[in-house]
Amino acid sequence: MEYNIPDLVKKALEAKQYAYVPYSGFAVGAALLCMDGEVVMGCNIENAAYSPTNCAERTAVFKAVSEGRRGFLAIAVAGDNNKYLAPCGVCRQVLLEFCSPDEFDVIFVKSETEYKVVKLGSLLPFAFSSADLQ
């Protein structure tokens, strides 16, 4: 399925405004494109105890899954650092649970006009997946 990358990038940048980041001050937004064309946004949500903090990517995935969605095409991730922002290792593992490593696009957003697109599999080589449990 073809999709509009600039629109997904804009949604990731928009999602940053909802971030709850009283400790780091580093807002991250994510926009997850579902197979049905719906875009689910997520932001990072910090916690004073730190470990309960949730990344923007996982917020978007968990929100989508909790609404019954299981098929995803791409995710755009934007942060406050004006650099290309990649998902952390935990988020990469969560994405792998629901997305094809060879087909799912991860978009690192630097700005509305600057971004890089990579396949999930390139971010998590030799990944542990459900196939390893067989």
Side-chain angles (χ1 to χ4, degrees):
M1 175 180 175
E2 295 287 321
Y3 64 95
N4 188 308
I5 293 174
D7 286 349
L8 202 57
V9 165
K10 287 179 188 174
K11 289 282 191 187
L13 290 165
E14 178 186 337
K16 280 192 331 177
Q17 72 180 327
Y18 302 113
Y20 177 74
V21 290
Y23 308 105
S24 73
F26 187 78
V28 179
L32 178 66
L33 178 61
C34 304
M35 293 245 189
D36 64 3
E38 184 75 24
V39 175
V40 177
M41 296 190 310
C43 62
N44 54 328
I45 303 166
E46 294 181 346
N47 186 285
Y50 294 111
S51 61
T53 293
N54 204 52
C55 297
E57 300 91 311
R58 284 182 283 140
T59 298
V61 170
F62 296 159
K63 184 177 173 185
V65 169
S66 73
E67 294 172 355
R69 292 184 168 81
R70 295 291 187 276
F72 308 109
L73 297 172
I75 193 167
V77 184
D80 276 346
N81 61 354
N82 198 32
K83 295 180 182 177
Y84 295 109
L85 187 63
C88 75
V90 174
C91 289
R92 293 173 194 200
Q93 186 66 45
V94 168
L95 288 166
L96 183 68
E97 184 70 20
F98 297 99
C99 308
S100 166
D102 300 324
E103 297 174 14
F104 185 79
D105 291 332
V106 180
I107 304 163
F108 306 161
V109 178
K110 184 175 180 180
S111 71
E112 196 169 312
T113 58
E114 296 176 282
Y115 48 84
K116 292 182 181 183
V117 181
V118 300
K119 294 295 181 194
L120 176 60
S122 70
L123 297 178
L124 200 58
F126 306 105
F128 184 85
S129 71
S130 61
D132 295 305
L133 298 174
Q134 314 282 323

